[in-house]
Structures are given as C-alpha cells and as structure tokens.
C-alpha cells in the first residue's frame, strides 16, 4: 500500500492501527478507519500512518483524471 495521500487518510490509518494493536476498541472507529482495520495488515497501516503530515493536503484532491493506474 502506498503512503497516505492526505492528512485525513493518515489520521484514519493511525486510528485503525491502534485498534488493530488493541490499544483502543474497534467500536470507537468510524468511517474509513473502521474499514481500514478490517481490510489492511498492520504493516500496511503502519506504512500509511507513518507518512509525514507536513507535506500532505488536508484532504485528497478530487481530481483523479491524471491517474491512469
């Protein structure tokens, strides 16, 4: 999995990671973090959560036309 593309995504990954490790209850998760904890490995969550927030936009831009992946 790639690094987080936004601050929101990075924070959701951090919340999911702490729930996966048992540091917080899974029932406290909402939205994307709830889905992440079920579908991603601890390593994937760690990689996404460890992204530096300084250079990330607050939210992922909605223009994805430039991606052809």
């Amino acid at each position: 999995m790639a690094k987080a593309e936004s601050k929101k995504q990075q924070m959701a990954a951090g919340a999911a990671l702490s729930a996966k490790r048992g540091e917080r209850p899974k029932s406290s998760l909402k939205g994307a973090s709830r889905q992440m904890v079920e579908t991603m490995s601890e390593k994937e969550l760690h990689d996404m959560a460890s992204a530096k927030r300084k250079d990330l936009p607050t939210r992922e831009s909605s223009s994805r036309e430039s991606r052809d992946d």
Side-chain angles (χ1 to χ4, degrees), residues 16-68:
L17 179 60
S18 73
K20 179 136 336 233
R21 290 178 174 169
E23 298 169 357
R24 69 187 288 175
K26 289 182 182 180
S27 60
S28 71
L29 300 177
K30 298 178 183 176
S33 59
R34 180 170 284 208
Q35 186 177 11
M36 286 176 168
V37 77
E38 298 296 330
T39 60
M40 296 175 73
S41 70
E42 189 171 330
K43 182 184 182 328
E44 289 173 320
L45 290 169
H46 180 269
D47 290 346
M48 188 172 281
S50 65
K52 299 284 185 207
R53 274 196 249 174
K54 181 179 178 182
D55 298 325
L56 295 175
T58 302
R59 292 182 174 221
E60 186 177 354
S61 64
S62 59
S63 63
R64 292 187 172 200
E65 293 85 42
S66 62
R67 290 189 191 171
D68 292 332

